[in-house]
Amino acid sequence: MARGSWRHALAVQAGTATAEVIPTARPAPLPRASGTAIEDRLTVLLVEDNPADARLIVETLPHDQFEVVHVPSLADATTRLGEGGIDAILLDLSLPDGVGADSIGWTLSVPPRTPVVVLTGLADETIAIQALRSGVQDYLVKGQLDGDVLPRTLRYALEREALLAEVDALRRHQLEAKDELLSHVSHELRTPLNAVYQFLTLVTDGIAGPLTSEQAEYLGIGLRNVHQLRTMISDLLEVTRLQGGSLVVVPEPTAVAPVVQDVLASLRSSALAKGVALDATPTPDLPAAYVDPQRLQQIVTNLVDNAVKFTPGGGRVVVSTARDTAAPDFIQVTVTDTGRGIAPEHVTKVFERFHQELGGTDTSRRGLGLGLYISQELVTRQGGRIWVESTPGSGSRFAFTVPVCEPNGDGRWHHGEGH
Amino acid sequence: MGKSAPGRKRILIVDDDDDARYAMNVRLRASGFETVYATDGVSAVKMARLTQPDLILLDLGLPAGDGFLVMERLRAFPDLACTPVIVVSARDPRVNETRALAMGALGFFEKPADNGELLDAARHAIALADARDTSTSH
């Protein structure tokens, strides 16, 4: 992009994206599963094993408004749903192949936007409330059904389901728009940042002639800030992806120790510059982990970078890798520093978004407070967990786990399940 | 057979950002390369045909045909189909890297790219192409 035009492009793009984030018109209502309108005749799937109860319900529902398809079991209901054309489901909670919690579990397999209303006896109202919490639209107590309540409940359930779907679609749309906007802004920010980096390094690399030590020092500070800005842009993008669900993690069999070594090698010179030693204590014969290698590198980089930031000169940061003694299907990576530690009231907050722990030993190195939040998300999405232990005054110990990946006898890979 | 005179390798820089192109040009020349440049998708292909570079450093967001289209067009010319391409772009690598590599790019660098790593990759790509040319000409 030509010089000077980026600011304009940014403004234009921000304008368009805002229009997407806050739609001026309410999006058109989503069509129902079967394309019915509120006044159309509805097809209701009645899942009820008691013939007398079933007959009563069929008779209660006005025939000009409702067509009832009756099946006696969850298995039959699944088959019938597969054929399509069902607008709503009336589900008895005590069936031969599903009682209470089983039936509630089954409702999760119902096609989206098909509301479920459960039928209970007086005694199992607790389970009915449990059903509501797992997405069932409403519940009715058998024996209290009359010609008004049943049709109205079904109509309302259908309406609520459609509204929910609409809200959900809107939310997804907003997240996508935000993702797109940030991706664009990030691109536009990187272009001038790139030029600053390129020209600074032309000078620091001596290509434009020899430098005095003072000039080298000043430009070095400039470069360090360029790197910081680059990290911030990446972190912002990453957080948007985490929230929008577009973050991709691709686990594969990965040796952990070499990844740790790479991270330490890349951070060692800046750590040594402030007098902090970096060391690794690997365990021999450690199995491979089932983890995305780039993500693993990102997590370790975040933790080590953070540890260095809060460790004064003369201190030490050690990364150890070993099998998790409590959960042997996991490998535990621990980053221990000799920094000032974290106050007890902050220990639970360090993984929160935008949390800033003040008093780093290097005050020029403020970040966005996103590194640990991103690390936590990346760890949990790969089945592991992350935590911190700290003694104020003597240092912190950040640890995370990743699942072990070992070849089975049959040559296939298996890996530990989540905690 | 190397495309340019032995010893001095020619790199085509394709970037529509004047400053980025300027800096890259200075750096590559200081590192002993000969440079040519193009600022959009059409002139990139034209310049590649005309100058037969040993390597192309290709930006993705370009006027008159983006970097992907440039790669596609290059593949249509037998004398350019094997010219190594390294993508240097400010675009999101998560989306674009896989696509660029699938289209035959040897590497993907996100701007601002580390100078040392980019130069290493450039030298490596040229050496690979040279080795391949030598083995096929015997």
Side-chain angles (χ1 to χ4, degrees), chain A residues 1 3 187 190-191 194 197-199 201-202 205 207 230 238 241 295, chain B residues 16-17 19-20 23 27 30 90-92 94 110-115:
Chain A
M1 184 178 298
R3 202 181 340 181
H187 173 258
R190 277 170 193 280
T191 301
N194 178 54
Y197 169 77
Q198 291 292 346
F199 283 98
T201 52
L202 282 179
D205 291 351
I207 291 170
R230 179 168 60 172
E238 197 81 326
R241 287 197 203 101
R295 297 313 192 170
Chain B
D16 63 331
D17 183 73
D19 295 342
R27 180 167 293 277
R91 282 201 194 168
D92 190 349
R94 301 274 144 74
E110 189 180 17
K111 283 181 185 172
D114 182 88
N115 293 312

PDB file of all heavy atoms in Angstrom, chain A residues 1 3 187 190-191 194 197-199 201-202 205 207 230 238 241 295, chain B residues 16-17 19-20 23 27 30 90-92 94 110-115:
ATOM      1  N   MET A   1       0.843  -1.197   0.000  1.00  0.00           N
ATOM      2  CA  MET A   1       0.000   0.000   0.000  1.00  0.00           C
ATOM      3  C   MET A   1       0.877   1.246   0.000  1.00  0.00           C
ATOM      4  O   MET A   1       1.889   1.304   0.684  1.00  0.00           O
ATOM      5  CB  MET A   1      -0.869  -0.015   1.260  1.00  0.00           C
ATOM      6  CG  MET A   1      -1.835   1.125   1.291  1.00  0.00           C
ATOM      7  SD  MET A   1      -2.845   1.007   2.752  1.00  0.00           S
ATOM      8  CE  MET A   1      -3.639  -0.547   2.447  1.00  0.00           C
ATOM      9  N   ARG A   3       2.419   4.911   0.631  1.00  0.00           N
ATOM     10  CA  ARG A   3       2.609   5.641   1.866  1.00  0.00           C
ATOM     11  C   ARG A   3       1.506   6.672   2.064  1.00  0.00           C
ATOM     12  O   ARG A   3       1.096   7.325   1.115  1.00  0.00           O
ATOM     13  CB  ARG A   3       3.959   6.346   1.823  1.00  0.00           C
ATOM     14  CG  ARG A   3       4.440   6.661   3.204  1.00  0.00           C
ATOM     15  CD  ARG A   3       5.731   7.373   3.244  1.00  0.00           C
ATOM     16  NE  ARG A   3       6.533   7.260   2.021  1.00  0.00           N
ATOM     17  CZ  ARG A   3       7.723   7.844   1.949  1.00  0.00           C
ATOM     18  NH1 ARG A   3       8.201   8.488   2.970  1.00  0.00           N
ATOM     19  NH2 ARG A   3       8.432   7.755   0.872  1.00  0.00           N
ATOM     20  N   HIS A 187      -3.392  -6.324   9.746  1.00  0.00           N
ATOM     21  CA  HIS A 187      -2.659  -6.233   8.486  1.00  0.00           C
ATOM     22  C   HIS A 187      -2.209  -4.801   8.222  1.00  0.00           C
ATOM     23  O   HIS A 187      -1.061  -4.538   7.875  1.00  0.00           O
ATOM     24  CB  HIS A 187      -3.561  -6.744   7.352  1.00  0.00           C
ATOM     25  CG  HIS A 187      -2.983  -6.544   6.001  1.00  0.00           C
ATOM     26  ND1 HIS A 187      -3.394  -5.529   5.174  1.00  0.00           N
ATOM     27  CD2 HIS A 187      -2.021  -7.202   5.330  1.00  0.00           C
ATOM     28  CE1 HIS A 187      -2.709  -5.581   4.044  1.00  0.00           C
ATOM     29  NE2 HIS A 187      -1.867  -6.589   4.108  1.00  0.00           N
ATOM     30  N   ARG A 190       0.583  -3.790  10.566  1.00  0.00           N
ATOM     31  CA  ARG A 190       1.855  -4.443  10.293  1.00  0.00           C
ATOM     32  C   ARG A 190       2.631  -3.769   9.164  1.00  0.00           C
ATOM     33  O   ARG A 190       3.860  -3.818   9.137  1.00  0.00           O
ATOM     34  CB  ARG A 190       1.640  -5.903   9.907  1.00  0.00           C
ATOM     35  CG  ARG A 190       1.478  -6.800  11.090  1.00  0.00           C
ATOM     36  CD  ARG A 190       1.016  -8.172  10.636  1.00  0.00           C
ATOM     37  NE  ARG A 190       0.564  -8.944  11.759  1.00  0.00           N
ATOM     38  CZ  ARG A 190       1.389  -9.570  12.594  1.00  0.00           C
ATOM     39  NH1 ARG A 190       2.684  -9.532  12.388  1.00  0.00           N
ATOM     40  NH2 ARG A 190       0.913 -10.239  13.603  1.00  0.00           N
ATOM     41  N   THR A 191       1.916  -3.179   8.216  1.00  0.00           N
ATOM     42  CA  THR A 191       2.588  -2.589   7.066  1.00  0.00           C
ATOM     43  C   THR A 191       3.526  -1.444   7.479  1.00  0.00           C
ATOM     44  O   THR A 191       4.712  -1.500   7.178  1.00  0.00           O
ATOM     45  CB  THR A 191       1.544  -2.174   6.013  1.00  0.00           C
ATOM     46  OG1 THR A 191       0.818  -3.357   5.647  1.00  0.00           O
ATOM     47  CG2 THR A 191       2.188  -1.582   4.786  1.00  0.00           C
ATOM     48  N   ASN A 194       6.347  -2.780   9.671  1.00  0.00           N
ATOM     49  CA  ASN A 194       7.360  -3.450   8.862  1.00  0.00           C
ATOM     50  C   ASN A 194       8.380  -2.445   8.343  1.00  0.00           C
ATOM     51  O   ASN A 194       9.586  -2.685   8.412  1.00  0.00           O
ATOM     52  CB  ASN A 194       6.678  -4.169   7.692  1.00  0.00           C
ATOM     53  CG  ASN A 194       7.666  -4.858   6.784  1.00  0.00           C
ATOM     54  OD1 ASN A 194       8.471  -5.657   7.236  1.00  0.00           O
ATOM     55  ND2 ASN A 194       7.628  -4.515   5.510  1.00  0.00           N
ATOM     56  N   TYR A 197      10.649  -1.340  11.144  1.00  0.00           N
ATOM     57  CA  TYR A 197      11.600  -2.417  11.455  1.00  0.00           C
ATOM     58  C   TYR A 197      12.698  -2.500  10.392  1.00  0.00           C
ATOM     59  O   TYR A 197      13.887  -2.565  10.715  1.00  0.00           O
ATOM     60  CB  TYR A 197      10.838  -3.746  11.553  1.00  0.00           C
ATOM     61  CG  TYR A 197      11.726  -4.963  11.609  1.00  0.00           C
ATOM     62  CD1 TYR A 197      12.387  -5.314  12.789  1.00  0.00           C
ATOM     63  CD2 TYR A 197      11.917  -5.762  10.484  1.00  0.00           C
ATOM     64  CE1 TYR A 197      13.203  -6.426  12.847  1.00  0.00           C
ATOM     65  CE2 TYR A 197      12.738  -6.872  10.528  1.00  0.00           C
ATOM     66  CZ  TYR A 197      13.381  -7.195  11.713  1.00  0.00           C
ATOM     67  OH  TYR A 197      14.192  -8.302  11.761  1.00  0.00           O
ATOM     68  N   GLN A 198      12.282  -2.474   9.132  1.00  0.00           N
ATOM     69  CA  GLN A 198      13.245  -2.613   8.035  1.00  0.00           C
ATOM     70  C   GLN A 198      14.296  -1.513   8.061  1.00  0.00           C
ATOM     71  O   GLN A 198      15.491  -1.776   7.939  1.00  0.00           O
ATOM     72  CB  GLN A 198      12.515  -2.585   6.681  1.00  0.00           C
ATOM     73  CG  GLN A 198      11.648  -3.796   6.403  1.00  0.00           C
ATOM     74  CD  GLN A 198      12.446  -5.053   6.202  1.00  0.00           C
ATOM     75  OE1 GLN A 198      13.661  -5.010   6.013  1.00  0.00           O
ATOM     76  NE2 GLN A 198      11.786  -6.189   6.260  1.00  0.00           N
ATOM     77  N   PHE A 199      13.846  -0.272   8.217  1.00  0.00           N
ATOM     78  CA  PHE A 199      14.814   0.824   8.146  1.00  0.00           C
ATOM     79  C   PHE A 199      15.671   0.901   9.400  1.00  0.00           C
ATOM     80  O   PHE A 199      16.852   1.224   9.327  1.00  0.00           O
ATOM     81  CB  PHE A 199      14.100   2.146   7.841  1.00  0.00           C
ATOM     82  CG  PHE A 199      13.737   2.243   6.389  1.00  0.00           C
ATOM     83  CD1 PHE A 199      12.462   1.930   5.947  1.00  0.00           C
ATOM     84  CD2 PHE A 199      14.699   2.585   5.432  1.00  0.00           C
ATOM     85  CE1 PHE A 199      12.138   1.973   4.595  1.00  0.00           C
ATOM     86  CE2 PHE A 199      14.381   2.640   4.080  1.00  0.00           C
ATOM     87  CZ  PHE A 199      13.098   2.336   3.657  1.00  0.00           C
ATOM     88  N   THR A 201      16.641  -1.677  11.141  1.00  0.00           N
ATOM     89  CA  THR A 201      17.648  -2.741  11.067  1.00  0.00           C
ATOM     90  C   THR A 201      18.684  -2.460   9.986  1.00  0.00           C
ATOM     91  O   THR A 201      19.819  -2.900  10.097  1.00  0.00           O
ATOM     92  CB  THR A 201      17.014  -4.125  10.828  1.00  0.00           C
ATOM     93  OG1 THR A 201      16.135  -4.040   9.700  1.00  0.00           O
ATOM     94  CG2 THR A 201      16.245  -4.595  12.040  1.00  0.00           C
ATOM     95  N   LEU A 202      18.312  -1.703   8.933  1.00  0.00           N
ATOM     96  CA  LEU A 202      19.319  -1.323   7.942  1.00  0.00           C
ATOM     97  C   LEU A 202      20.426  -0.526   8.633  1.00  0.00           C
ATOM     98  O   LEU A 202      21.609  -0.695   8.344  1.00  0.00           O
ATOM     99  CB  LEU A 202      18.705  -0.475   6.826  1.00  0.00           C
ATOM    100  CG  LEU A 202      17.906  -1.218   5.759  1.00  0.00           C
ATOM    101  CD1 LEU A 202      17.344  -0.244   4.726  1.00  0.00           C
ATOM    102  CD2 LEU A 202      18.748  -2.291   5.078  1.00  0.00           C
ATOM    103  N   ASP A 205      22.268  -2.867  11.475  1.00  0.00           N
ATOM    104  CA  ASP A 205      23.128  -3.881  10.866  1.00  0.00           C
ATOM    105  C   ASP A 205      24.351  -3.256  10.184  1.00  0.00           C
ATOM    106  O   ASP A 205      25.142  -3.952   9.549  1.00  0.00           O
ATOM    107  CB  ASP A 205      22.334  -4.715   9.851  1.00  0.00           C
ATOM    108  CG  ASP A 205      21.298  -5.602  10.532  1.00  0.00           C
ATOM    109  OD1 ASP A 205      21.335  -5.679  11.775  1.00  0.00           O
ATOM    110  OD2 ASP A 205      20.463  -6.201   9.841  1.00  0.00           O
ATOM    111  N   ILE A 207      24.482  -1.382   7.574  1.00  0.00           N
ATOM    112  CA  ILE A 207      24.396  -1.284   6.117  1.00  0.00           C
ATOM    113  C   ILE A 207      24.496   0.181   5.675  1.00  0.00           C
ATOM    114  O   ILE A 207      24.999   0.500   4.616  1.00  0.00           O
ATOM    115  CB  ILE A 207      23.090  -1.959   5.621  1.00  0.00           C
ATOM    116  CG1 ILE A 207      23.206  -3.471   5.844  1.00  0.00           C
ATOM    117  CG2 ILE A 207      22.815  -1.651   4.150  1.00  0.00           C
ATOM    118  CD1 ILE A 207      21.935  -4.241   5.622  1.00  0.00           C
ATOM    119  N   ARG A 230       4.718  -5.718  17.753  1.00  0.00           N
ATOM    120  CA  ARG A 230       4.377  -6.873  16.925  1.00  0.00           C
ATOM    121  C   ARG A 230       3.688  -7.949  17.762  1.00  0.00           C
ATOM    122  O   ARG A 230       2.693  -8.541  17.356  1.00  0.00           O
ATOM    123  CB  ARG A 230       5.654  -7.427  16.267  1.00  0.00           C
ATOM    124  CG  ARG A 230       5.376  -8.643  15.412  1.00  0.00           C
ATOM    125  CD  ARG A 230       6.537  -8.997  14.550  1.00  0.00           C
ATOM    126  NE  ARG A 230       7.735  -9.289  15.314  1.00  0.00           N
ATOM    127  CZ  ARG A 230       8.842  -9.769  14.784  1.00  0.00           C
ATOM    128  NH1 ARG A 230       8.920  -9.981  13.497  1.00  0.00           N
ATOM    129  NH2 ARG A 230       9.893 -10.032  15.519  1.00  0.00           N
ATOM    130  N   GLU A 238      -5.054 -13.154  18.212  1.00  0.00           N
ATOM    131  CA  GLU A 238      -5.229 -14.470  18.806  1.00  0.00           C
ATOM    132  C   GLU A 238      -6.459 -14.498  19.717  1.00  0.00           C
ATOM    133  O   GLU A 238      -7.246 -15.436  19.674  1.00  0.00           O
ATOM    134  CB  GLU A 238      -3.970 -14.777  19.621  1.00  0.00           C
ATOM    135  CG  GLU A 238      -3.807 -16.209  19.974  1.00  0.00           C
ATOM    136  CD  GLU A 238      -3.228 -17.005  18.817  1.00  0.00           C
ATOM    137  OE1 GLU A 238      -3.543 -16.684  17.646  1.00  0.00           O
ATOM    138  OE2 GLU A 238      -2.497 -17.949  19.075  1.00  0.00           O
ATOM    139  N   ARG A 241      -9.585 -14.620  17.760  1.00  0.00           N
ATOM    140  CA  ARG A 241      -9.815 -15.967  17.222  1.00  0.00           C
ATOM    141  C   ARG A 241     -10.346 -16.895  18.305  1.00  0.00           C
ATOM    142  O   ARG A 241     -11.221 -17.711  18.065  1.00  0.00           O
ATOM    143  CB  ARG A 241      -8.517 -16.543  16.672  1.00  0.00           C
ATOM    144  CG  ARG A 241      -8.098 -15.897  15.392  1.00  0.00           C
ATOM    145  CD  ARG A 241      -7.073 -16.779  14.716  1.00  0.00           C
ATOM    146  NE  ARG A 241      -6.280 -15.996  13.806  1.00  0.00           N
ATOM    147  CZ  ARG A 241      -5.060 -15.544  14.071  1.00  0.00           C
ATOM    148  NH1 ARG A 241      -4.486 -15.824  15.214  1.00  0.00           N
ATOM    149  NH2 ARG A 241      -4.421 -14.821  13.198  1.00  0.00           N
ATOM    150  N   ARG A 295       1.756 -24.378  18.981  1.00  0.00           N
ATOM    151  CA  ARG A 295       1.049 -23.879  20.161  1.00  0.00           C
ATOM    152  C   ARG A 295       1.857 -24.147  21.407  1.00  0.00           C
ATOM    153  O   ARG A 295       1.884 -23.333  22.331  1.00  0.00           O
ATOM    154  CB  ARG A 295      -0.331 -24.542  20.274  1.00  0.00           C
ATOM    155  CG  ARG A 295      -1.254 -24.230  19.127  1.00  0.00           C
ATOM    156  CD  ARG A 295      -1.249 -22.778  18.823  1.00  0.00           C
ATOM    157  NE  ARG A 295      -2.310 -22.381  17.925  1.00  0.00           N
ATOM    158  CZ  ARG A 295      -2.598 -21.102  17.682  1.00  0.00           C
ATOM    159  NH1 ARG A 295      -1.881 -20.144  18.235  1.00  0.00           N
ATOM    160  NH2 ARG A 295      -3.563 -20.789  16.868  1.00  0.00           N
TER     161      ARG A 295
ATOM    162  N   ASP B  16       3.761  -3.752  -3.141  1.00  0.00           N
ATOM    163  CA  ASP B  16       3.176  -2.459  -3.520  1.00  0.00           C
ATOM    164  C   ASP B  16       3.475  -1.378  -2.490  1.00  0.00           C
ATOM    165  O   ASP B  16       3.157  -0.221  -2.700  1.00  0.00           O
ATOM    166  CB  ASP B  16       1.660  -2.584  -3.745  1.00  0.00           C
ATOM    167  CG  ASP B  16       0.935  -2.999  -2.472  1.00  0.00           C
ATOM    168  OD1 ASP B  16       1.550  -3.699  -1.643  1.00  0.00           O
ATOM    169  OD2 ASP B  16      -0.242  -2.639  -2.314  1.00  0.00           O
ATOM    170  N   ASP B  17       4.082  -1.761  -1.351  1.00  0.00           N
ATOM    171  CA  ASP B  17       4.440  -0.756  -0.353  1.00  0.00           C
ATOM    172  C   ASP B  17       5.828  -0.197  -0.689  1.00  0.00           C
ATOM    173  O   ASP B  17       6.828  -0.921  -0.650  1.00  0.00           O
ATOM    174  CB  ASP B  17       4.444  -1.391   1.043  1.00  0.00           C
ATOM    175  CG  ASP B  17       4.741  -0.367   2.122  1.00  0.00           C
ATOM    176  OD1 ASP B  17       3.861   0.447   2.418  1.00  0.00           O
ATOM    177  OD2 ASP B  17       5.870  -0.360   2.641  1.00  0.00           O
ATOM    178  N   ASP B  19       7.907   1.786   0.825  1.00  0.00           N
ATOM    179  CA  ASP B  19       8.936   1.739   1.861  1.00  0.00           C
ATOM    180  C   ASP B  19       9.486   0.330   2.055  1.00  0.00           C
ATOM    181  O   ASP B  19      10.688   0.139   2.188  1.00  0.00           O
ATOM    182  CB  ASP B  19       8.359   2.267   3.182  1.00  0.00           C
ATOM    183  CG  ASP B  19       7.983   3.736   3.091  1.00  0.00           C
ATOM    184  OD1 ASP B  19       8.468   4.399   2.156  1.00  0.00           O
ATOM    185  OD2 ASP B  19       7.199   4.219   3.935  1.00  0.00           O
ATOM    186  N   ALA B  20       8.575  -0.639   2.059  1.00  0.00           N
ATOM    187  CA  ALA B  20       9.011  -2.025   2.243  1.00  0.00           C
ATOM    188  C   ALA B  20       9.937  -2.443   1.102  1.00  0.00           C
ATOM    189  O   ALA B  20      10.953  -3.100   1.315  1.00  0.00           O
ATOM    190  CB  ALA B  20       7.792  -2.946   2.298  1.00  0.00           C
ATOM    191  N   ALA B  23      13.429  -0.662   1.412  1.00  0.00           N
ATOM    192  CA  ALA B  23      14.286  -1.251   2.441  1.00  0.00           C
ATOM    193  C   ALA B  23      14.810  -2.615   1.993  1.00  0.00           C
ATOM    194  O   ALA B  23      15.993  -2.930   2.165  1.00  0.00           O
ATOM    195  CB  ALA B  23      13.515  -1.373   3.748  1.00  0.00           C
ATOM    196  N   ARG B  27      18.735  -3.795   1.464  1.00  0.00           N
ATOM    197  CA  ARG B  27      19.286  -4.923   2.202  1.00  0.00           C
ATOM    198  C   ARG B  27      19.817  -6.028   1.274  1.00  0.00           C
ATOM    199  O   ARG B  27      20.906  -6.554   1.481  1.00  0.00           O
ATOM    200  CB  ARG B  27      18.236  -5.506   3.151  1.00  0.00           C
ATOM    201  CG  ARG B  27      18.724  -6.694   3.962  1.00  0.00           C
ATOM    202  CD  ARG B  27      17.793  -7.034   5.086  1.00  0.00           C
ATOM    203  NE  ARG B  27      17.769  -5.998   6.106  1.00  0.00           N
ATOM    204  CZ  ARG B  27      18.660  -5.902   7.088  1.00  0.00           C
ATOM    205  NH1 ARG B  27      19.645  -6.776   7.184  1.00  0.00           N
ATOM    206  NH2 ARG B  27      18.572  -4.942   7.974  1.00  0.00           N
ATOM    207  N   ALA B  30      22.983  -4.958  -0.398  1.00  0.00           N
ATOM    208  CA  ALA B  30      24.089  -4.984   0.567  1.00  0.00           C
ATOM    209  C   ALA B  30      24.544  -6.421   0.827  1.00  0.00           C
ATOM    210  O   ALA B  30      25.676  -6.658   1.219  1.00  0.00           O
ATOM    211  CB  ALA B  30      23.654  -4.335   1.873  1.00  0.00           C
ATOM    212  N   ALA B  90       1.896  -9.261   5.080  1.00  0.00           N
ATOM    213  CA  ALA B  90       1.342  -8.853   6.379  1.00  0.00           C
ATOM    214  C   ALA B  90       0.010  -9.551   6.617  1.00  0.00           C
ATOM    215  O   ALA B  90      -0.611  -9.373   7.655  1.00  0.00           O
ATOM    216  CB  ALA B  90       1.142  -7.339   6.422  1.00  0.00           C
ATOM    217  N   ARG B  91      -0.427 -10.356   5.654  1.00  0.00           N
ATOM    218  CA  ARG B  91      -1.707 -11.056   5.826  1.00  0.00           C
ATOM    219  C   ARG B  91      -1.582 -12.170   6.855  1.00  0.00           C
ATOM    220  O   ARG B  91      -0.511 -12.721   7.053  1.00  0.00           O
ATOM    221  CB  ARG B  91      -2.147 -11.669   4.490  1.00  0.00           C
ATOM    222  CG  ARG B  91      -2.752 -10.648   3.559  1.00  0.00           C
ATOM    223  CD  ARG B  91      -3.590 -11.367   2.536  1.00  0.00           C
ATOM    224  NE  ARG B  91      -3.931 -10.493   1.424  1.00  0.00           N
ATOM    225  CZ  ARG B  91      -4.462 -10.949   0.301  1.00  0.00           C
ATOM    226  NH1 ARG B  91      -4.680 -12.240   0.127  1.00  0.00           N
ATOM    227  NH2 ARG B  91      -4.757 -10.111  -0.658  1.00  0.00           N
ATOM    228  N   ASP B  92      -2.702 -12.513   7.438  1.00  0.00           N
ATOM    229  CA  ASP B  92      -2.773 -13.523   8.486  1.00  0.00           C
ATOM    230  C   ASP B  92      -2.226 -14.874   8.000  1.00  0.00           C
ATOM    231  O   ASP B  92      -2.781 -15.475   7.095  1.00  0.00           O
ATOM    232  CB  ASP B  92      -4.258 -13.675   8.872  1.00  0.00           C
ATOM    233  CG  ASP B  92      -4.429 -14.513  10.115  1.00  0.00           C
ATOM    234  OD1 ASP B  92      -3.445 -15.131  10.553  1.00  0.00           O
ATOM    235  OD2 ASP B  92      -5.547 -14.538  10.636  1.00  0.00           O
ATOM    236  N   ARG B  94      -2.335 -17.748   9.357  1.00  0.00           N
ATOM    237  CA  ARG B  94      -3.196 -18.900   9.639  1.00  0.00           C
ATOM    238  C   ARG B  94      -4.072 -19.228   8.439  1.00  0.00           C
ATOM    239  O   ARG B  94      -4.428 -20.363   8.207  1.00  0.00           O
ATOM    240  CB  ARG B  94      -4.089 -18.622  10.842  1.00  0.00           C
ATOM    241  CG  ARG B  94      -3.345 -18.312  12.091  1.00  0.00           C
ATOM    242  CD  ARG B  94      -2.980 -19.601  12.840  1.00  0.00           C
ATOM    243  NE  ARG B  94      -1.690 -19.480  13.481  1.00  0.00           N
ATOM    244  CZ  ARG B  94      -1.450 -18.766  14.565  1.00  0.00           C
ATOM    245  NH1 ARG B  94      -2.407 -18.125  15.143  1.00  0.00           N
ATOM    246  NH2 ARG B  94      -0.261 -18.689  15.080  1.00  0.00           N
ATOM    247  N   GLU B 110       5.781 -13.690   7.705  1.00  0.00           N
ATOM    248  CA  GLU B 110       4.836 -12.655   8.095  1.00  0.00           C
ATOM    249  C   GLU B 110       5.607 -11.363   8.343  1.00  0.00           C
ATOM    250  O   GLU B 110       6.622 -11.363   9.032  1.00  0.00           O
ATOM    251  CB  GLU B 110       4.105 -13.103   9.377  1.00  0.00           C
ATOM    252  CG  GLU B 110       2.961 -12.217   9.746  1.00  0.00           C
ATOM    253  CD  GLU B 110       2.269 -12.685  11.025  1.00  0.00           C
ATOM    254  OE1 GLU B 110       2.861 -13.484  11.774  1.00  0.00           O
ATOM    255  OE2 GLU B 110       1.139 -12.242  11.263  1.00  0.00           O
ATOM    256  N   LYS B 111       5.131 -10.282   7.770  1.00  0.00           N
ATOM    257  CA  LYS B 111       5.777  -8.980   7.993  1.00  0.00           C
ATOM    258  C   LYS B 111       5.494  -8.489   9.400  1.00  0.00           C
ATOM    259  O   LYS B 111       4.351  -8.607   9.848  1.00  0.00           O
ATOM    260  CB  LYS B 111       5.236  -7.943   7.010  1.00  0.00           C
ATOM    261  CG  LYS B 111       5.777  -8.057   5.605  1.00  0.00           C
ATOM    262  CD  LYS B 111       5.154  -6.950   4.782  1.00  0.00           C
ATOM    263  CE  LYS B 111       5.541  -7.040   3.318  1.00  0.00           C
ATOM    264  NZ  LYS B 111       4.783  -6.064   2.504  1.00  0.00           N
ATOM    265  N   PRO B 112       6.427  -7.911  10.124  1.00  0.00           N
ATOM    266  CA  PRO B 112       7.821  -7.753   9.727  1.00  0.00           C
ATOM    267  C   PRO B 112       8.578  -9.081   9.890  1.00  0.00           C
ATOM    268  O   PRO B 112       8.546  -9.668  10.972  1.00  0.00           O
ATOM    269  CB  PRO B 112       8.360  -6.721  10.710  1.00  0.00           C
ATOM    270  CG  PRO B 112       7.256  -6.362  11.650  1.00  0.00           C
ATOM    271  CD  PRO B 112       6.131  -7.307  11.429  1.00  0.00           C
ATOM    272  N   ALA B 113       9.237  -9.516   8.816  1.00  0.00           N
ATOM    273  CA  ALA B 113       9.959 -10.788   8.854  1.00  0.00           C
ATOM    274  C   ALA B 113      11.368 -10.557   9.384  1.00  0.00           C
ATOM    275  O   ALA B 113      11.972  -9.522   9.100  1.00  0.00           O
ATOM    276  CB  ALA B 113      10.023 -11.382   7.459  1.00  0.00           C
ATOM    277  N   ASP B 114      11.865 -11.515  10.154  1.00  0.00           N
ATOM    278  CA  ASP B 114      13.228 -11.438  10.665  1.00  0.00           C
ATOM    279  C   ASP B 114      14.202 -11.446   9.480  1.00  0.00           C
ATOM    280  O   ASP B 114      14.180 -12.353   8.649  1.00  0.00           O
ATOM    281  CB  ASP B 114      13.496 -12.634  11.580  1.00  0.00           C
ATOM    282  CG  ASP B 114      14.886 -12.580  12.166  1.00  0.00           C
ATOM    283  OD1 ASP B 114      15.038 -11.967  13.229  1.00  0.00           O
ATOM    284  OD2 ASP B 114      15.817 -13.138  11.554  1.00  0.00           O
ATOM    285  N   ASN B 115      15.077 -10.422   9.395  1.00  0.00           N
ATOM    286  CA  ASN B 115      15.966 -10.285   8.241  1.00  0.00           C
ATOM    287  C   ASN B 115      16.881 -11.490   8.058  1.00  0.00           C
ATOM    288  O   ASN B 115      17.062 -11.972   6.945  1.00  0.00           O
ATOM    289  CB  ASN B 115      16.833  -9.034   8.397  1.00  0.00           C
ATOM    290  CG  ASN B 115      15.992  -7.771   8.320  1.00  0.00           C
ATOM    291  OD1 ASN B 115      15.175  -7.644   7.412  1.00  0.00           O
ATOM    292  ND2 ASN B 115      16.164  -6.874   9.271  1.00  0.00           N
TER     293      ASN B 115
END
